[in-house]
């Protein structure tokens, strides 16, 4: 099989052929390392590529008598997951040289299953952003159009998968950070039910929202990765034993499924091009047998405001540990501890991170708590109830994943609020802790558009089955126009 | 509206140093964001219970068993300034006592 | 205290629990040791690490709450208390705020024969901070050149107990703290070692005109970490506040520092910023639900509490209130006492022996009851020998001292040293005759009317018998011979 052929295989296919001995893990890893060398200088999906490590692990897997289920499948890992001995930066100056002393539980699980880490991918600093432009080490470029953003915050992971620089990738999603970049890059991104994947070793942005999930080329690959990600971790009090095994969805249509279009997340505020693709997708789903109904989340418009109180509030505390005392950046020459803190944190954090820390600190500060934090927690309750009602009349809900396609680099950096609007369709899901997947639905002006499918808590099997049905009904087969670079 | 004093106060709480023009910019941006957020003020939330956890779990415990601590090298390895096995920091001035 | 004023004191007590591992991670709880050898990603707050609650700590917390007769609401949650300090690695302390684990309890104390009930406002769970070592001339924070941080203590389970402002004298505060300390040790939830900081006390103090029901402006006395400190510091601060009020001045709300060496109370420099802790619910931890079943389980595992036990001793054993209190000040002592009484049914005598001899010995040697070589059954055996007249009371004390040192049984010591009491008339008669023959002058004086010399003859007989003579027999025989 040619090198080009190798990297066109999805994870399920690659796993099967590796098991059959059609090629080795080393060959597969080399194919991806080659692709990274060719394309990453333009895309900048990776912050660090662990070539040596990846090779060694591949050799070990090839040499082992039994191949574990994911044995030899190379993955890109968002740099928000700590990896022992491998520098983990969260794309921040604060952690530029930080070598974790332990490995995130979900990475340990994936490695136990045989996954090989190709490298750590770029992201918005501390996962705060929707374009990967907030990386302290420069933005990632969208493989579909290098002048455009890959989305964020898991932009590096999504771009790597889209550009065939990784077979698949791990991302994290707090307000849409897996689904929105997956939509922008024309790949599949799944945010699991809150609690189903351990957060131990995921550098916290907003603890009651954060969830790790797969970014893949196909729905089935997402299912395959998720199967190995879920599970109760004794080190994460908020993790739950997943009630059943995650299944690889069968190829079937959508008959018998009631799919609700969320009224508040279509129409106003969504680009016409995105709506056109979405409308066509709804038709295709109906043709594939789905019963399309109208659903409503009456409080959806309050989700973004509530999220931008609750998430920054949690972040303001989560990022307090970056104080220059035990690890990370330390500003030299301070006369006293407060000066050391202030200088370290001002130099170590980028603009958006500081903005969210400020916002969260403000919302929690004396006199404002009730008006902001307290009210937002109640809005969260309303959103949860909205979803519960909606799932009374629909098995799954759908909306566009993002209101636009990938925008131009620099287009929204001057106006934080406009940037925040990029997550308007994904944020309600995080407030309610539900699982949701984004799959490619088509192109608008040559740029991918994502379809978001949302399910009730712990309905991943139903969600994946429907996503597989939708994937078949849509028949998306475009690929980013990667130039032949020598 | 978020005033300069508000921004200064919050920056101090968050241990961020913001210079003059930054104060201005943050005051403006935070005001803009909060304008949007203030939308939640229009809701009647009197009867609504707050949600702090989306999953209903309680009493998650670990057994009281000792596990190995980090070896000294690992514990101190990332420290910016180590002295006698401890993390050295600039003096804590009187005004900073908790 | 100047007449016309009343002091109002509330105490905030922090207790480090003696669990094996820390509150939220598996690092060992221990005092001292090489710095930063008992840390991990969780208690040193590395990125991505998460806390998981130590179940034993919650059991201990519940024991404390129940022993203080608190209400345990069905649910409590953890909050993050946000502030920056180098000993606080996460930049927030996991603590409990508006939904504490337990509320509305009390502890009864007795001061100068007066019974006082001190209300408990709340009992809640939190985690301890790391330790700052201030480098520089004084070792104190002021003027330090830099500080060194040791995270070994970081994350030790810490219970905060807050009293209502219902203590009205430094003496009562000391008695309260002492009783609480004994109770906590009795429950075996903390070693309550004030020198090592496992029991720490802050005090809120105000003064008001006697008879007033309003609270005056309070000050906070930090780190009253010995009973002497607490009593003296409070006395000094009450005196200072009373002086201000008497002079028509006002007390300023502030934190004050008590210098034990000079006896002076000085205000700590006021903060640039008021505290704004930005409490919010800890998203990394699930709520605690203390349902009836949980409370019942803890209650069933609790020992009989000291006050109940002391009541029983007064009622069933006829002990004095003082003896009953001492016998229940320590669980091991109490257990020792009861077991001894099971073997030797004279509770008053047993308690007197324990208070006089056993505690005296432990005090003198600095030993612990647990390590004491004398066991309840062997003390009972000794008391039995005295009661039966086999040995004298005086010899009994000598034998007890020997038992403490060697761990030998009383009978063996008496046997080996020949300490059996001499009650044999013929044997004692011979000794008395010898004594009288050796001291003709004293015999003459006695017979001339110096009655006091009787004791001299008894002493001489005792000396010759090395204390083994039966005192009653000597008395009778001496009187006969001298008359």
């Amino acid at each position: 099989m040619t090198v080009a052929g190798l990297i066109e295989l999805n994870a399920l296919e690659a796993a099967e052929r590796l098991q059959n001995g059609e090629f080795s893990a080393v060959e597969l890893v080399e194919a991806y390392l080659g692709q990274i060398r060719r394309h990453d200088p333009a895309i900048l999906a990776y912050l660090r590529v662990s070539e040596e490590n990846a090779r060694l692990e591949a050799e070990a897997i090839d040499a082992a008598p039994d191949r574990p289920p994911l044995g030899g499948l190379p993955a890109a890992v968002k740099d928000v997951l700590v990896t022992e001995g491998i520098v983990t930066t969260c794309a921040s100056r604060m952690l530029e040289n930080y070598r974790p002393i332990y490995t995130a539980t979900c990475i340990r699980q994936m490695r136990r299953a045989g996954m090989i880490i190709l490298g750590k991918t770029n992201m918005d600093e501390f996962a705060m952003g929707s374009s990967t432009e907030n990386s302290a080490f420069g933005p990632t470029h969208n493989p579909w159009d290098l002048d455009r953003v890959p989305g964020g915050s898991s932009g590096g992971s999504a771009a790597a998968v889209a550009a065939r620089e990784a077979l698949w990738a791990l991302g994290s999603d707090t307000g849409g950070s897996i689904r929105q970049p997956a939509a922008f890059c024309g790949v599949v991104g799944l945010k699991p039910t809150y609690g189903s994947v351990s957060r131990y070793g995921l550098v916290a942005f907003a603890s009651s929202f954060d969830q790790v999930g797969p970014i893949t080329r196909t729905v089935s690959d997402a299912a395959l990765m998720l199967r190995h990600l879920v599970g109760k971790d004794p080190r994460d009090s908020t993790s739950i034993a997943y009630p059943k095994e995650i299944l690889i969805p069968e190829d079937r249509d959508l008959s018998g499924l009631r799919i609700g279009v969320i009224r508040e997340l279509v129409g106003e505020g969504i680009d016409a091009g995105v709506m056109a693709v979405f409308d066509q997708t709804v038709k295709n789903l109906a043709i594939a047998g789905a019963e399309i109904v109208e659903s409503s989340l009456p409080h959806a418009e309050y989700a973004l405001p509530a999220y931008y109180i609750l998430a920054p509030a949690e972040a303001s505390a989560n990022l307090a540990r970056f104080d220059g005392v035990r690890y990370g950046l330390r500003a030299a020459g301070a006369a006293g501890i407060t000066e050391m803190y202030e200088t370290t944190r001002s130099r170590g954090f980028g603009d958006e991170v500081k903005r969210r820390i400020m916002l969260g600190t403000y919302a929690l500060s004396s006199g404002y708590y009730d008006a902001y934090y307290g009210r937002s927690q109640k809005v969260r309750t309303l959103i949860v109830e909205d979803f519960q009602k909606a799932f009374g009349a629909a098995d799954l809900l759908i909306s566009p994943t993002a209101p636009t396609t990938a925008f131009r680099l620099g287009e929204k950096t001057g106006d934080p609020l406009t940037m925040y609007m990029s997550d308007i369709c994904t944020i309600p899901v995080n407030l309610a802790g539900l699982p949701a997947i984004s799959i490619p639905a088509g192109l608008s002006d040559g740029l991918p558009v994502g379809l978001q499918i949302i399910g009730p808590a712990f309905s991943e099997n139903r969600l994946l089955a429907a996503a597989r049905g939708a994937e078949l009904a849509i028949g998306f087969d475009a690929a980013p126009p990667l130039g032949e670079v020598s | 509206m978020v005033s300069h004093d508000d921004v200064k106060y919050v920056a101090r709480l968050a241990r961020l140093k913001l210079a003059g023009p930054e104060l201005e910019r943050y005051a403006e941006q935070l005001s803009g964001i909060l304008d949007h957020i203030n939308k939640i003020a229009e809701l009647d939330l009197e009867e609504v219970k707050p949600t702090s956890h989306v999953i209903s779990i309680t009493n998650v415990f670990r057994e009281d068993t000792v596990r190995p601590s980090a070896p000294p090298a690992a514990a101190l390895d990332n420290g910016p300034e180590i002295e006698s096995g401890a993390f050295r920091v600039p003096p804590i001035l009187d005004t900073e006592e908790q | 205290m100047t007449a016309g004023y009343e002091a109002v004191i509330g105490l905030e007590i922090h207790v480090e629990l003696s669990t094996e591992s820390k509150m939220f991670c598996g690092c060992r709880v221990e005092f001292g040791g090489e710095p930063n050898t008992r840390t991990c990603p969780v208690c040193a707050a590395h990125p991505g690490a998460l806390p998981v609650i130590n179940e034993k700590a919650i059991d201990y917390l519940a024991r404390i709450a129940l022993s203080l007769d608190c209400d345990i609401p069905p649910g409590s949650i953890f909050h993050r208390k946000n502030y920056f300090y180098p000993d606080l690695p996460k930049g927030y302390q996991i603590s409990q705020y508006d939904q504490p684990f337990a509320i509305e309890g009390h502890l009864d104390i007795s001061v100068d024969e007066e019974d006082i009930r001190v209300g408990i406002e709340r009992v809640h769970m939190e985690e301890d901070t790391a330790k700052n070592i201030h480098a520089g001339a004084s070792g104190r924070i002021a003027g330090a050149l830099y500080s060194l941080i040791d995270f070994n203590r970081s994350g030790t389970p810490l219970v905060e107990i807050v009293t209502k402002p219902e203590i009205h004298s430094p003496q009562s505060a000391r008695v309260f703290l002492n009783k609480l300390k004994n109770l906590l040790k009795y429950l075996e939830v903390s070693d309550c070692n004030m020198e090592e900081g496992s029991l720490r006390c802050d005090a809120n103090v105000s003064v008001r005109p006697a008879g007033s029901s309003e609270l005056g402006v309070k000050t906070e006395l930090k780190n009253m970490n010995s009973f002497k400190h607490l009593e003296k510091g409070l006395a000094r601060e009450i005196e200072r506040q009373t002086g201000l009020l008497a002079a028509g001045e006002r007390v300023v709300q502030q934190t004050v520092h008590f210098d034990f060496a000079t006896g002076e109370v000085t205000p700590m420099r006021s903060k640039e910023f008021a505290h704004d802790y930005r409490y919010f619910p800890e998203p990394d931890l699930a709520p605690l639900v203390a349902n009836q079943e949980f409370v019942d389980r803890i209650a069933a595992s609790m020992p009989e509490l000291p006050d109940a036990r002391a009541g029983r001793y007064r009622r069933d054993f006829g002990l004095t209130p003082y003896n009953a209190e001492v016998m229940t000040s320590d669980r091991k002592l109490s257990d020792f006492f009861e077991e001894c009484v099971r073997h030797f049914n004279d509770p008053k005598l047993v308690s007197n022996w324990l208070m006089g001899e056993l505690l005296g010995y432990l005090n003198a040697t600095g030993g612990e009851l647990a390590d004491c070589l004398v066991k309840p059954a062997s003390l009972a055996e000794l008391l039995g020998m005295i009661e039966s007249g086999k040995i004298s009371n005086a010899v009994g004390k000598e034998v007890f001292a020997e038992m403490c040192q060697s761990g030998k049984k009383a009978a063996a010591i008496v046997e080996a040293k020949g300490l059996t009491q001499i009650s044999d008339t013929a044997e004692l008669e011979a000794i008395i005759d010898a004594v009288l023959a050796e001291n003709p002058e004293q015999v003459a004086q006695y017979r001339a009317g110096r009655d006091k010399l009787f004791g001299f003859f008894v002493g001489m007989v005792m000396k010759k018998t090395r204390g083994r003579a039966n005192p009653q027999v000597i008395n009778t025989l001496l009187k006969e011979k001298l008359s």
Side-chain angles (χ1 to χ4, degrees), chain A residues 97-101 194-195 208 232 235 237-238 240 299 301-302 304-306 308-309 324-330 334-343 345-346 349-351 354-355 357-359 361-362 365-366 368 371-372 374-382 384 414 416-417 420-421 430-433 458, chain B residues 1-3 6-18 22-23 25-27 29-30 32-57 60-62 67-68 70-71 73-82 87-93 95-96:
Chain A
N97 300 305
Y98 175 66
R99 270 177 204 281
I101 60 172
Y194 184 83
S208 74
K232 172 150 182 64
R235 293 178 182 273
S237 309
T238 63
I240 290 179
H299 299 94
E301 61 178 318
Y302 302 101
L304 189 92
Y308 272 98
I309 290 299
V325 174
R326 298 166 315 286
Y327 47 74
L329 185 73
R330 150 89 66 102
I337 191 78
T338 300
E339 190 190 336
M340 190 281 276
Y341 285 152
E342 291 186 347
T343 317
R345 290 167 59 78
S346 297
F349 293 138
D351 236 24
K354 284 190 232 180
R355 193 152 39 235
I357 291 174
M358 292 288 289
L359 185 56
T361 306
Y362 179 83
S365 68
S366 161
Y368 295 105
Y372 289 119
R375 288 186 76 81
S376 296
Q377 280 189 309
K378 292 180 169 187
V379 172
R380 193 167 189 182
T381 306
L382 295 179
V384 169
L417 195 54
Y420 297 170
M421 294 296 179
N430 297 78
L431 282 164
F458 299 105
Chain B
M1 266 324 268
V2 183
S3 70
D6 289 341
V7 173
K8 266 192 197 162
Y9 173 77
V10 172
R12 172 68 191 211
L13 278 179
R15 297 296 187 269
L16 292 170
K17 190 187 280 174
L18 300 181
E22 271 184 310
L23 278 179
R25 191 158 52 85
Y26 276 95
Q29 288 177 337
L30 292 181
I33 296 165
L34 287 167
D35 269 353
H36 180 78
I37 286 171
N38 280 327
K39 199 173 181 44
I40 60 173
E42 68 195 36
L43 286 168
D44 176 9
L45 299 168
E46 199 62 42
E47 302 296 315
V48 182
K49 286 202 174 113
T51 295
S52 49
H53 293 83
V54 282
I55 39 175
S56 50
I57 46 166
V60 181
F61 299 128
R62 42 172 277 272
R67 296 175 64 104
L76 301 171
D77 210 25
N78 281 289
E81 210 178 341
I82 301 297
F87 297 90
R88 181 175 162 154
V89 297
I92 303 159
L93 307 174
T95 49
E96 297 162 338

Side-chain angles (χ1 to χ4, degrees), chain A residues 24-97:
Chain A
S24 67
V26 170
E27 286 172 285
L28 190 61
V29 163
E30 288 299 346
Y32 278 105
L33 291 175
Q35 182 79 350
I36 292 168
R37 273 194 302 275
R38 274 190 300 280
H39 294 288
D40 211 47
I43 293 171
L44 300 167
Y46 285 89
L47 290 172
R48 265 167 319 289
V49 178
S50 328
E51 281 199 33
E52 265 325 288
N53 239 339
R55 280 195 191 100
L56 287 173
E57 285 177 27
E59 281 167 12
I61 281 175
D62 285 336
D66 294 312
R67 194 177 287 273
L70 307 182
L73 302 182
V77 174
K78 188 180 183 180
D79 208 23
V80 74
L81 290 161
V82 301
T83 39
E84 185 174 353
I86 303 176
V87 169
T88 301
T89 66
C90 297
S92 179
R93 291 271 171 233
M94 189 61 94
L95 292 176
E96 198 164 356
N97 300 305

Side-chain angles (χ1 to χ4, degrees), chain A residues 87-270:
Chain A
V87 169
T88 301
T89 66
C90 297
S92 179
R93 291 271 171 233
M94 189 61 94
L95 292 176
E96 198 164 356
N97 300 305
Y98 175 66
R99 270 177 204 281
I101 60 172
Y102 73 106
T103 296
T105 299
C106 64
I107 303 271
R108 287 167 58 131
Q109 286 176 204
M110 295 297 289
R111 291 179 79 141
R112 209 175 303 133
M115 180 190 82
I116 291 170
I117 299 178
L118 284 170
K120 306 291 289 283
T121 55
N122 200 9
M123 54 187 277
D124 286 297
E125 185 181 6
F126 287 108
M128 296 177 187
S130 308
S131 68
T132 314
E133 290 166 294
N134 296 330
S135 167
F137 309 112
T140 295
H141 298 255
N142 192 317
W144 292 81
D145 178 347
L146 294 177
D147 293 333
R148 292 178 186 268
V149 302
S153 66
S154 311
S157 283
V161 173
R164 309 298 190 254
E165 292 182 22
L167 175 58
W168 52 6
L170 280 163
S172 69
D173 191 316
T174 306
S177 282
I178 286 175
R179 290 159 288 158
Q180 185 257 22
F184 279 18
C185 292
V187 295
V188 174
L190 172 69
K191 183 206 93 77
T193 305
Y194 184 83
S196 48
V197 181
S198 168
R199 294 185 295 112
Y200 190 73
L202 167 67
V203 180
F205 159 16
S207 316
S208 74
F209 300 87
D210 297 342
Q211 204 51 198
V212 174
I215 295 176
T216 57
R217 285 179 223 163
T218 66
V219 171
S220 297
D221 283 1
L224 178 63
M225 188 185 275
L226 186 65
R227 174 189 282 182
H228 295 279
L229 281 178
V230 298
K232 172 150 182 64
D233 179 5
R235 293 178 182 273
D236 175 2
S237 309
T238 63
S239 77
I240 290 179
Y242 199 85
K244 40 195 168 278
E245 193 188 359
I246 300 291
L247 304 173
I248 308 299
E250 286 168 26
D251 290 352
R252 48 158 300 204
D253 66 12
L254 298 170
S255 51
L257 273 182
R258 283 172 309 166
I259 294 180
V261 177
I262 302 169
R263 187 198 306 153
E264 292 79 7
L265 300 182
V266 294
E268 202 197 335
I270 311 291

Side-chain angles (χ1 to χ4, degrees), chain C residues 6-21:
Chain C
E6 180 190 46
V8 180
I9 301 165
L11 299 179
E12 284 180 23
I13 294 119
H14 286 95
V15 190
E16 283 182 351
L17 300 184
S18 51
T19 48
E20 293 291 317
S21 64

